[in-house]
Amino acid sequence: MSRTDVLGVGFDDVTMAEAVDRALELIEARECRYVVTPNPEIVMLAKEDAALKSALAGAALVLPDGVGIVKGAAILGRPMKEKVPGIDFACGVMARLAEKGGSVYLFGAKPGVAEKAAQTLVEKYPGLAVAGTSDGYFTDDAPIIEKIRAAKPDMLLVCLGAPKQELWMAKEEGKLPVGLMCGLGGSLDVFAGTVKRAPESWQRLGLEWLYRLLKEPRRIGRMMKLPVFVAEAAGARLRGK
Ligand code: UDP
Protein backbone atom coordinates (compact mmCIF):
# COMPACT_ATOMS: atom_id res chain seq x y z
CA MET A 1 0.00 0.00 0.00
CA SER A 2 1.41 3.40 -0.90
CA ARG A 3 1.98 5.85 1.92
CA THR A 4 0.53 9.32 2.43
CA ASP A 5 3.34 11.87 2.18
CA VAL A 6 3.33 14.60 4.83
CA LEU A 7 6.31 16.92 4.24
CA GLY A 8 8.67 14.10 3.34
CA VAL A 9 7.49 11.39 5.75
CA GLY A 10 5.22 8.64 4.40
CA PHE A 11 2.35 7.63 6.69
CA ASP A 12 0.16 4.51 6.58
CA ASP A 13 -3.45 5.62 6.21
CA VAL A 14 -4.95 3.09 8.61
CA THR A 15 -7.60 3.17 11.31
CA MET A 16 -6.67 2.20 14.85
CA ALA A 17 -8.33 -1.21 14.37
CA GLU A 18 -6.41 -1.81 11.12
CA ALA A 19 -3.13 -0.77 12.75
CA VAL A 20 -3.65 -3.20 15.65
CA ASP A 21 -4.55 -6.06 13.27
CA ARG A 22 -1.43 -5.36 11.20
CA ALA A 23 0.72 -5.32 14.36
CA LEU A 24 -0.63 -8.73 15.36
CA GLU A 25 0.31 -10.08 11.91
CA LEU A 26 3.79 -8.62 12.23
CA ILE A 27 4.20 -10.16 15.69
CA GLU A 28 3.09 -13.50 14.27
CA ALA A 29 5.69 -13.21 11.47
CA ARG A 30 8.40 -12.53 14.12
CA GLU A 31 10.76 -10.70 11.79
CA CYS A 32 11.67 -8.09 14.40
CA ARG A 33 10.40 -5.19 12.32
CA TYR A 34 9.36 -1.88 13.87
CA VAL A 35 6.56 0.66 14.21
CA VAL A 36 7.04 4.44 14.41
CA THR A 37 4.50 7.06 15.48
CA PRO A 38 5.77 10.44 14.27
CA ASN A 39 4.17 13.73 15.34
CA PRO A 40 4.72 17.07 13.54
CA GLU A 41 7.83 17.72 15.64
CA ILE A 42 9.44 14.50 14.38
CA VAL A 43 8.45 15.26 10.77
CA MET A 44 10.20 18.63 11.08
CA LEU A 45 13.22 16.96 12.68
CA ALA A 46 13.41 14.43 9.80
CA LYS A 47 13.73 17.25 7.27
CA GLU A 48 17.16 18.02 8.72
CA ASP A 49 18.18 14.54 9.80
CA ALA A 50 18.72 12.07 6.97
CA ALA A 51 19.32 9.12 9.32
CA LEU A 52 16.01 9.75 11.09
CA LYS A 53 14.23 10.13 7.76
CA SER A 54 15.51 6.79 6.55
CA ALA A 55 14.70 5.12 9.91
CA LEU A 56 11.11 6.35 9.57
CA ALA A 57 10.87 5.13 5.97
CA GLY A 58 12.16 1.70 6.98
CA ALA A 59 9.39 1.07 9.51
CA ALA A 60 6.81 -1.64 8.87
CA LEU A 61 4.10 0.73 10.10
CA VAL A 62 4.18 4.55 10.22
CA LEU A 63 1.26 5.80 12.30
CA PRO A 64 -0.08 9.38 12.46
CA ASP A 65 0.47 9.94 16.18
CA GLY A 66 -1.71 12.98 16.68
CA VAL A 67 -4.18 15.42 15.28
CA GLY A 68 -1.31 17.54 13.88
CA ILE A 69 -0.36 14.95 11.26
CA VAL A 70 -3.97 14.35 10.23
CA LYS A 71 -4.56 18.12 9.94
CA GLY A 72 -1.29 18.54 8.01
CA ALA A 73 -2.34 15.78 5.59
CA ALA A 74 -5.75 17.46 5.14
CA ILE A 75 -4.09 20.83 4.42
CA LEU A 76 -1.98 19.05 1.81
CA GLY A 77 -5.17 17.67 0.22
CA ARG A 78 -4.42 14.11 1.32
CA PRO A 79 -7.08 13.29 3.91
CA MET A 80 -6.29 10.42 6.24
CA LYS A 81 -8.78 8.16 8.04
CA GLU A 82 -7.95 9.08 11.64
CA LYS A 83 -5.19 9.80 14.14
CA VAL A 84 -3.63 6.70 15.67
CA PRO A 85 -1.87 7.81 18.88
CA GLY A 86 1.06 5.51 19.60
CA ILE A 87 0.08 4.95 23.21
CA ASP A 88 -3.50 3.90 22.33
CA PHE A 89 -2.17 1.66 19.58
CA ALA A 90 0.19 -0.04 22.05
CA CYS A 91 -2.71 -0.55 24.48
CA GLY A 92 -4.79 -2.11 21.69
CA VAL A 93 -1.98 -4.52 20.84
CA MET A 94 -1.31 -5.38 24.50
CA ALA A 95 -5.01 -6.14 25.07
CA ARG A 96 -4.89 -8.63 22.18
CA LEU A 97 -1.57 -10.11 23.34
CA ALA A 98 -3.03 -10.57 26.84
CA GLU A 99 -5.81 -12.74 25.38
CA LYS A 100 -3.24 -15.22 24.15
CA GLY A 101 -0.76 -14.98 26.99
CA GLY A 102 1.72 -12.88 25.01
CA SER A 103 4.61 -10.86 26.39
CA VAL A 104 6.01 -7.38 26.27
CA TYR A 105 9.42 -5.93 27.19
CA LEU A 106 9.59 -2.34 28.42
CA PHE A 107 12.74 -0.45 27.41
CA GLY A 108 13.27 3.23 28.18
CA ALA A 109 12.58 6.13 30.56
CA LYS A 110 14.34 6.92 33.83
CA PRO A 111 15.41 4.10 36.18
CA GLY A 112 12.41 2.65 38.03
CA VAL A 113 9.77 3.94 35.59
CA ALA A 114 9.55 0.80 33.42
CA GLU A 115 9.08 -1.38 36.54
CA LYS A 116 6.22 0.85 37.70
CA ALA A 117 4.70 0.78 34.22
CA ALA A 118 4.97 -3.04 34.28
CA GLN A 119 2.88 -3.21 37.46
CA THR A 120 0.14 -1.07 35.93
CA LEU A 121 0.12 -3.02 32.67
CA VAL A 122 -0.15 -6.50 34.19
CA GLU A 123 -3.06 -5.27 36.32
CA LYS A 124 -4.77 -3.62 33.36
CA TYR A 125 -4.22 -6.58 30.99
CA PRO A 126 -4.56 -9.86 32.90
CA GLY A 127 -2.78 -12.56 30.92
CA LEU A 128 -0.09 -10.21 29.62
CA ALA A 129 3.44 -11.08 30.71
CA VAL A 130 6.16 -8.48 31.15
CA ALA A 131 9.25 -10.31 29.90
CA GLY A 132 11.69 -7.69 31.18
CA THR A 133 12.48 -4.02 31.76
CA SER A 134 15.49 -1.76 31.14
CA ASP A 135 15.85 1.97 31.66
CA GLY A 136 16.76 4.27 28.80
CA TYR A 137 19.85 5.92 30.24
CA PHE A 138 22.79 3.79 29.12
CA THR A 139 26.19 4.28 27.53
CA ASP A 140 26.48 0.76 26.13
CA ASP A 141 23.37 -1.08 24.93
CA ALA A 142 25.08 -4.52 24.73
CA PRO A 143 23.89 -5.72 28.18
CA ILE A 144 20.35 -4.54 27.36
CA ILE A 145 20.41 -6.41 24.05
CA GLU A 146 21.55 -9.56 25.88
CA LYS A 147 18.62 -9.22 28.28
CA ILE A 148 16.14 -8.73 25.44
CA ARG A 149 17.61 -11.74 23.59
CA ALA A 150 17.05 -13.93 26.65
CA ALA A 151 13.51 -12.58 27.19
CA LYS A 152 12.30 -13.12 23.58
CA PRO A 153 9.25 -10.84 23.94
CA ASP A 154 6.37 -10.68 21.46
CA MET A 155 6.53 -6.89 21.56
CA LEU A 156 9.36 -4.58 22.59
CA LEU A 157 8.38 -1.03 23.57
CA VAL A 158 11.32 1.29 22.82
CA CYS A 159 10.72 4.54 24.73
CA LEU A 160 13.87 6.63 24.35
CA GLY A 161 12.35 9.73 22.74
CA ALA A 162 12.94 10.82 19.13
CA PRO A 163 15.22 10.40 17.25
CA LYS A 164 17.03 8.01 19.59
CA GLN A 165 14.32 5.32 19.58
CA GLU A 166 13.86 5.34 15.78
CA LEU A 167 17.62 5.06 15.16
CA TRP A 168 17.95 2.28 17.73
CA MET A 169 15.12 0.26 16.17
CA ALA A 170 16.51 0.73 12.65
CA LYS A 171 19.88 -0.55 13.92
CA GLU A 172 18.32 -3.65 15.52
CA GLU A 173 15.73 -4.45 12.83
CA GLY A 174 15.71 -8.15 12.00
CA LYS A 175 18.43 -8.95 14.55
CA LEU A 176 16.57 -9.74 17.78
CA PRO A 177 14.30 -12.65 18.74
CA VAL A 178 11.40 -10.22 19.08
CA GLY A 179 7.99 -10.17 17.38
CA LEU A 180 7.73 -6.43 16.82
CA MET A 181 9.43 -3.27 18.14
CA CYS A 182 7.45 -0.14 18.77
CA GLY A 183 8.86 3.39 19.34
CA LEU A 184 6.65 5.09 21.90
CA GLY A 185 8.34 8.22 23.32
CA GLY A 186 7.11 9.11 26.79
CA SER A 187 4.49 6.33 27.08
CA LEU A 188 6.21 4.47 29.93
CA ASP A 189 5.97 7.66 32.01
CA VAL A 190 2.22 7.71 31.33
CA PHE A 191 1.77 4.00 32.20
CA ALA A 192 3.81 4.51 35.37
CA GLY A 193 1.72 7.54 36.30
CA THR A 194 4.70 9.92 36.44
CA VAL A 195 3.20 11.94 33.56
CA LYS A 196 -0.56 12.46 33.16
CA ARG A 197 -2.31 12.31 29.80
CA ALA A 198 -4.91 14.91 28.82
CA PRO A 199 -8.51 14.17 29.90
CA GLU A 200 -10.49 12.34 27.22
CA SER A 201 -12.59 15.40 26.39
CA TRP A 202 -9.39 17.29 25.52
CA GLN A 203 -8.14 14.32 23.47
CA ARG A 204 -11.42 14.20 21.53
CA LEU A 205 -11.13 17.91 20.75
CA GLY A 206 -7.60 17.36 19.44
CA LEU A 207 -6.10 19.45 22.24
CA GLU A 208 -3.75 16.89 23.75
CA TRP A 209 -0.76 19.00 22.67
CA LEU A 210 -2.15 22.07 24.49
CA TYR A 211 -2.66 20.10 27.70
CA ARG A 212 0.92 18.88 27.52
CA LEU A 213 2.18 22.39 26.95
CA LEU A 214 0.24 23.71 29.94
CA LYS A 215 1.61 20.90 32.14
CA GLU A 216 5.17 21.19 30.85
CA PRO A 217 5.74 24.80 29.69
CA ARG A 218 9.39 24.00 28.94
CA ARG A 219 8.12 22.14 25.85
CA ILE A 220 7.36 25.49 24.20
CA GLY A 221 10.67 25.49 22.29
CA ARG A 222 9.89 22.07 20.78
CA MET A 223 6.29 23.00 20.13
CA MET A 224 7.16 26.14 18.18
CA LYS A 225 7.80 23.66 15.36
CA LEU A 226 4.02 23.12 15.13
CA PRO A 227 3.07 26.45 13.49
CA VAL A 228 6.07 26.07 11.17
CA PHE A 229 4.79 22.62 10.24
CA VAL A 230 1.30 23.98 9.44
CA ALA A 231 2.78 26.87 7.44
CA GLU A 232 4.99 24.51 5.44
CA ALA A 233 2.05 22.21 4.70
CA ALA A 234 -0.01 25.18 3.50
CA GLY A 235 2.94 26.43 1.41
CA ALA A 236 3.43 23.01 -0.17
CA ARG A 237 -0.29 22.86 -1.03
CA LEU A 238 -0.19 26.29 -2.62
CA ARG A 239 2.81 25.28 -4.70
CA GLY A 240 0.83 22.24 -5.80
CA LYS A 241 3.16 19.67 -4.20
N1 UDP B 1 14.53 8.95 27.42
C1 UDP B 1 15.34 7.85 27.60
N2 UDP B 1 16.65 7.96 27.29
C2 UDP B 1 17.21 9.11 26.81
C3 UDP B 1 16.36 10.22 26.60
C4 UDP B 1 15.01 10.11 26.92
O1 UDP B 1 14.87 6.80 28.03
O2 UDP B 1 18.41 9.12 26.57
C5 UDP B 1 13.10 8.82 27.77
C6 UDP B 1 12.57 9.89 28.70
O3 UDP B 1 12.85 9.54 30.04
C7 UDP B 1 11.09 9.83 28.38
C8 UDP B 1 11.10 9.47 26.89
O4 UDP B 1 12.37 8.97 26.58
O5 UDP B 1 10.48 8.78 29.09
C9 UDP B 1 10.85 10.65 25.95
O6 UDP B 1 9.81 11.37 26.40
P1 UDP B 1 9.23 12.61 25.61
O7 UDP B 1 8.05 13.02 26.37
O8 UDP B 1 10.31 13.59 25.31
O9 UDP B 1 8.86 11.90 24.25
P2 UDP B 1 7.74 12.18 23.22
O10 UDP B 1 6.61 11.28 23.62
O11 UDP B 1 7.42 13.64 23.24
O12 UDP B 1 8.43 11.73 21.96
mmCIF file of all heavy atoms in Angstrom, residues 4 18 21-22 50 62 67 82 109 112 116 118 127 131 140-142 155 162 177 181 185 189 193 198 207 213 218 235:
data_model
loop_
_atom_site.group_PDB
_atom_site.id
_atom_site.type_symbol
_atom_site.label_atom_id
_atom_site.label_comp_id
_atom_site.label_asym_id
_atom_site.label_seq_id
_atom_site.Cartn_x
_atom_site.Cartn_y
_atom_site.Cartn_z
ATOM 1 N N THR A 4 0.946 7.935 2.584
ATOM 2 C CA THR A 4 0.531 9.324 2.428
ATOM 3 C C THR A 4 1.684 10.226 2.844
ATOM 4 O O THR A 4 2.109 10.200 3.998
ATOM 5 C CB THR A 4 -0.695 9.609 3.332
ATOM 6 O OG1 THR A 4 -1.728 8.688 2.988
ATOM 7 C CG2 THR A 4 -1.188 11.026 3.154
ATOM 8 N N GLU A 18 -7.269 -1.241 12.164
ATOM 9 C CA GLU A 18 -6.407 -1.809 11.116
ATOM 10 C C GLU A 18 -4.952 -1.865 11.567
ATOM 11 O O GLU A 18 -4.235 -2.837 11.290
ATOM 12 C CB GLU A 18 -6.516 -0.969 9.837
ATOM 13 C CG GLU A 18 -7.853 -1.127 9.128
ATOM 14 C CD GLU A 18 -8.117 -0.054 8.059
ATOM 15 O OE1 GLU A 18 -7.387 0.978 8.020
ATOM 16 O OE2 GLU A 18 -9.069 -0.234 7.287
ATOM 17 N N ASP A 21 -4.537 -4.782 14.007
ATOM 18 C CA ASP A 21 -4.547 -6.062 13.267
ATOM 19 C C ASP A 21 -3.209 -6.303 12.570
ATOM 20 O O ASP A 21 -2.655 -7.397 12.602
ATOM 21 C CB ASP A 21 -5.649 -6.063 12.200
ATOM 22 C CG ASP A 21 -7.032 -6.295 12.814
ATOM 23 O OD1 ASP A 21 -7.096 -6.704 14.000
ATOM 24 O OD2 ASP A 21 -8.037 -6.064 12.115
ATOM 25 N N ARG A 22 -2.703 -5.252 11.929
ATOM 26 C CA ARG A 22 -1.433 -5.362 11.199
ATOM 27 C C ARG A 22 -0.289 -5.684 12.173
ATOM 28 O O ARG A 22 0.577 -6.492 11.870
ATOM 29 C CB ARG A 22 -1.176 -4.036 10.472
ATOM 30 C CG ARG A 22 0.054 -3.973 9.673
ATOM 31 C CD ARG A 22 -0.100 -4.627 8.296
ATOM 32 N NE ARG A 22 1.203 -4.707 7.632
ATOM 33 C CZ ARG A 22 1.897 -5.835 7.500
ATOM 34 N NH1 ARG A 22 1.409 -6.982 7.914
ATOM 35 N NH2 ARG A 22 3.075 -5.819 6.921
ATOM 36 N N ALA A 50 18.895 13.111 7.984
ATOM 37 C CA ALA A 50 18.716 12.072 6.967
ATOM 38 C C ALA A 50 18.606 10.685 7.588
ATOM 39 O O ALA A 50 17.844 9.832 7.107
ATOM 40 C CB ALA A 50 19.874 12.105 5.974
ATOM 41 N N VAL A 62 3.925 3.142 9.851
ATOM 42 C CA VAL A 62 4.181 4.549 10.218
ATOM 43 C C VAL A 62 2.817 5.151 10.557
ATOM 44 O O VAL A 62 1.986 5.363 9.676
ATOM 45 C CB VAL A 62 4.843 5.319 9.053
ATOM 46 C CG1 VAL A 62 5.191 6.741 9.491
ATOM 47 C CG2 VAL A 62 6.097 4.601 8.562
ATOM 48 N N VAL A 67 -3.296 14.655 16.143
ATOM 49 C CA VAL A 67 -4.179 15.420 15.284
ATOM 50 C C VAL A 67 -3.360 16.289 14.318
ATOM 51 O O VAL A 67 -3.791 16.543 13.195
ATOM 52 C CB VAL A 67 -5.136 16.264 16.168
ATOM 53 C CG1 VAL A 67 -4.401 17.375 16.888
ATOM 54 C CG2 VAL A 67 -6.295 16.799 15.373
ATOM 55 N N GLU A 82 -7.877 8.586 10.258
ATOM 56 C CA GLU A 82 -7.950 9.084 11.641
ATOM 57 C C GLU A 82 -6.561 9.127 12.264
ATOM 58 O O GLU A 82 -5.622 8.521 11.749
ATOM 59 C CB GLU A 82 -8.877 8.200 12.492
ATOM 60 C CG GLU A 82 -8.426 6.758 12.644
ATOM 61 C CD GLU A 82 -9.442 5.908 13.424
ATOM 62 O OE1 GLU A 82 -10.543 6.381 13.712
ATOM 63 O OE2 GLU A 82 -9.104 4.750 13.730
ATOM 64 N N ALA A 109 12.924 5.238 29.450
ATOM 65 C CA ALA A 109 12.578 6.131 30.558
ATOM 66 C C ALA A 109 13.593 6.024 31.702
ATOM 67 O O ALA A 109 14.525 5.199 31.657
ATOM 68 C CB ALA A 109 11.157 5.876 31.051
ATOM 69 N N GLY A 112 13.562 2.860 37.145
ATOM 70 C CA GLY A 112 12.405 2.653 38.026
ATOM 71 C C GLY A 112 11.062 2.846 37.329
ATOM 72 O O GLY A 112 10.057 2.275 37.746
ATOM 73 N N LYS A 116 7.532 0.344 37.267
ATOM 74 C CA LYS A 116 6.224 0.848 37.697
ATOM 75 C C LYS A 116 5.193 0.643 36.592
ATOM 76 O O LYS A 116 4.049 0.243 36.851
ATOM 77 C CB LYS A 116 6.321 2.349 37.998
ATOM 78 C CG LYS A 116 6.388 2.672 39.452
ATOM 79 C CD LYS A 116 6.014 4.139 39.643
ATOM 80 C CE LYS A 116 6.466 4.625 41.000
ATOM 81 N NZ LYS A 116 6.680 6.058 41.038
ATOM 82 N N ALA A 118 5.241 -1.588 34.372
ATOM 83 C CA ALA A 118 4.967 -3.035 34.280
ATOM 84 C C ALA A 118 3.841 -3.430 35.242
ATOM 85 O O ALA A 118 2.921 -4.163 34.864
ATOM 86 C CB ALA A 118 6.239 -3.830 34.596
ATOM 87 N N GLY A 127 -3.186 -11.616 31.969
ATOM 88 C CA GLY A 127 -2.781 -12.562 30.919
ATOM 89 C C GLY A 127 -1.535 -12.081 30.202
ATOM 90 O O GLY A 127 -0.786 -12.869 29.622
ATOM 91 N N ALA A 131 8.089 -9.426 30.034
ATOM 92 C CA ALA A 131 9.246 -10.308 29.904
ATOM 93 C C ALA A 131 10.527 -9.666 30.432
ATOM 94 O O ALA A 131 11.527 -10.355 30.631
ATOM 95 C CB ALA A 131 9.419 -10.699 28.439
ATOM 96 N N ASP A 140 26.241 1.915 26.997
ATOM 97 C CA ASP A 140 26.481 0.757 26.127
ATOM 98 C C ASP A 140 25.198 -0.073 26.131
ATOM 99 O O ASP A 140 24.705 -0.453 27.202
ATOM 100 C CB ASP A 140 27.657 -0.040 26.727
ATOM 101 C CG ASP A 140 27.908 -1.343 25.990
ATOM 102 O OD1 ASP A 140 27.371 -1.504 24.876
ATOM 103 O OD2 ASP A 140 28.636 -2.200 26.538
ATOM 104 N N ASP A 141 24.644 -0.344 24.954
ATOM 105 C CA ASP A 141 23.373 -1.083 24.933
ATOM 106 C C ASP A 141 23.576 -2.610 24.881
ATOM 107 O O ASP A 141 22.604 -3.357 24.894
ATOM 108 C CB ASP A 141 22.462 -0.595 23.802
ATOM 109 C CG ASP A 141 23.027 -0.892 22.413
ATOM 110 O OD1 ASP A 141 24.135 -1.459 22.338
ATOM 111 O OD2 ASP A 141 22.362 -0.549 21.428
ATOM 112 N N ALA A 142 24.842 -3.075 24.858
ATOM 113 C CA ALA A 142 25.084 -4.522 24.734
ATOM 114 C C ALA A 142 24.419 -5.340 25.850
ATOM 115 O O ALA A 142 23.755 -6.350 25.559
ATOM 116 C CB ALA A 142 26.585 -4.809 24.665
ATOM 117 N N MET A 155 6.421 -8.302 21.939
ATOM 118 C CA MET A 155 6.531 -6.892 21.558
ATOM 119 C C MET A 155 7.551 -6.208 22.466
ATOM 120 O O MET A 155 7.588 -6.449 23.663
ATOM 121 C CB MET A 155 5.177 -6.191 21.675
ATOM 122 C CG MET A 155 5.243 -4.721 21.324
ATOM 123 S SD MET A 155 3.696 -4.018 20.767
ATOM 124 C CE MET A 155 2.784 -3.921 22.275
ATOM 125 N N ALA A 162 12.471 10.719 20.518
ATOM 126 C CA ALA A 162 12.943 10.815 19.126
ATOM 127 C C ALA A 162 14.161 11.733 19.080
ATOM 128 O O ALA A 162 14.222 12.707 19.838
ATOM 129 C CB ALA A 162 11.837 11.396 18.252
ATOM 130 N N PRO A 177 15.407 -11.690 18.685
ATOM 131 C CA PRO A 177 14.297 -12.655 18.741
ATOM 132 C C PRO A 177 13.054 -12.010 19.350
ATOM 133 O O PRO A 177 12.618 -12.346 20.445
ATOM 134 C CB PRO A 177 14.852 -13.779 19.633
ATOM 135 C CG PRO A 177 15.843 -13.098 20.518
ATOM 136 C CD PRO A 177 16.389 -11.913 19.760
ATOM 137 N N MET A 181 8.968 -4.376 17.293
ATOM 138 C CA MET A 181 9.429 -3.270 18.144
ATOM 139 C C MET A 181 8.530 -2.063 17.882
ATOM 140 O O MET A 181 8.044 -1.885 16.764
ATOM 141 C CB MET A 181 10.878 -2.884 17.797
ATOM 142 C CG MET A 181 11.859 -4.022 17.945
ATOM 143 S SD MET A 181 13.576 -3.505 17.623
ATOM 144 C CE MET A 181 13.620 -3.513 15.818
ATOM 145 N N GLY A 185 8.084 6.963 22.601
ATOM 146 C CA GLY A 185 8.343 8.221 23.320
ATOM 147 C C GLY A 185 8.120 8.123 24.816
ATOM 148 O O GLY A 185 8.635 7.226 25.486
ATOM 149 N N ASP A 189 6.256 6.692 30.947
ATOM 150 C CA ASP A 189 5.970 7.663 32.014
ATOM 151 C C ASP A 189 4.467 7.751 32.263
ATOM 152 O O ASP A 189 4.030 7.902 33.399
ATOM 153 C CB ASP A 189 6.509 9.044 31.634
ATOM 154 C CG ASP A 189 8.027 9.062 31.537
ATOM 155 O OD1 ASP A 189 8.672 8.770 32.554
ATOM 156 O OD2 ASP A 189 8.554 9.339 30.455
ATOM 157 N N GLY A 193 2.436 6.503 35.567
ATOM 158 C CA GLY A 193 1.718 7.542 36.301
ATOM 159 C C GLY A 193 2.595 8.740 36.645
ATOM 160 O O GLY A 193 2.153 9.639 37.354
ATOM 161 N N ALA A 198 -3.776 13.983 28.820
ATOM 162 C CA ALA A 198 -4.907 14.909 28.821
ATOM 163 C C ALA A 198 -6.207 14.163 29.083
ATOM 164 O O ALA A 198 -6.336 12.996 28.694
ATOM 165 C CB ALA A 198 -4.986 15.606 27.467
ATOM 166 N N LEU A 207 -6.861 18.448 21.484
ATOM 167 C CA LEU A 207 -6.096 19.449 22.243
ATOM 168 C C LEU A 207 -5.060 18.824 23.180
ATOM 169 O O LEU A 207 -4.604 19.468 24.121
ATOM 170 C CB LEU A 207 -7.070 20.325 23.057
ATOM 171 C CG LEU A 207 -7.951 21.257 22.227
ATOM 172 C CD1 LEU A 207 -8.945 21.992 23.119
ATOM 173 C CD2 LEU A 207 -7.101 22.266 21.451
ATOM 174 N N LEU A 213 1.443 21.123 26.875
ATOM 175 C CA LEU A 213 2.180 22.390 26.948
ATOM 176 C C LEU A 213 1.882 23.097 28.277
ATOM 177 O O LEU A 213 2.778 23.638 28.923
ATOM 178 C CB LEU A 213 1.785 23.281 25.770
ATOM 179 C CG LEU A 213 2.501 24.637 25.698
ATOM 180 C CD1 LEU A 213 4.011 24.436 25.622
ATOM 181 C CD2 LEU A 213 2.024 25.426 24.488
ATOM 182 N N ARG A 218 8.070 24.004 29.571
ATOM 183 C CA ARG A 218 9.393 24.000 28.937
ATOM 184 C C ARG A 218 9.359 23.365 27.543
ATOM 185 O O ARG A 218 10.330 23.429 26.793
ATOM 186 C CB ARG A 218 10.419 23.288 29.824
ATOM 187 C CG ARG A 218 10.114 21.845 30.021
ATOM 188 C CD ARG A 218 11.036 21.163 31.007
ATOM 189 N NE ARG A 218 10.474 19.885 31.397
ATOM 190 C CZ ARG A 218 10.551 18.791 30.662
ATOM 191 N NH1 ARG A 218 11.188 18.813 29.512
ATOM 192 N NH2 ARG A 218 9.997 17.665 31.074
ATOM 193 N N GLY A 235 2.075 25.972 2.508
ATOM 194 C CA GLY A 235 2.939 26.426 1.414
ATOM 195 C C GLY A 235 3.067 25.365 0.335
ATOM 196 O O GLY A 235 2.962 25.640 -0.864
#
